Amino acid sequence: MFAIDDVVVATKGIDLGKMVVTGLSSGGFYVRVEVDGMSLTYPARDLQKA
């Protein structure tokens, strides 16, 4: 499980390098991340801690 401000990287999809967790869905299935000023949502299973 991830916490706010954790640094993560994508294991699937577009690899944007290190991203910072900015939010979590209520069920924990999706993680909101920010990288280079963009805010994106990734499935939690497609991320790992950097």
Side-chain angles (χ1 to χ4, degrees), residues 20 27 36-37 50:
V20 178
D36 294 333

Side-chain angles (χ1 to χ4, degrees), residues 21-44:
V21 175
T22 58
L24 303 166
S25 67
S26 60
F29 294 110
Y30 292 95
V31 178
R32 193 81 169 163
V33 297
E34 188 168 315
V35 61
D36 294 333
M38 296 182 290
S39 188
L40 307 166
T41 303
Y42 271 89

Side-chain angles (χ1 to χ4, degrees), residues 1-2 7-17 19 21 28-33 41-50:
M1 187 50 84
F2 303 107
V7 177
V8 296
V9 293
T11 59
K12 284 186 179 177
I14 300 171
D15 181 15
L16 298 172
M19 303 177 282
V21 175
F29 294 110
Y30 292 95
V31 178
R32 193 81 169 163
V33 297
T41 303
Y42 271 89
R45 68 175 183 261
D46 294 344
L47 296 172
Q48 68 180 16
K49 288 189 178 183

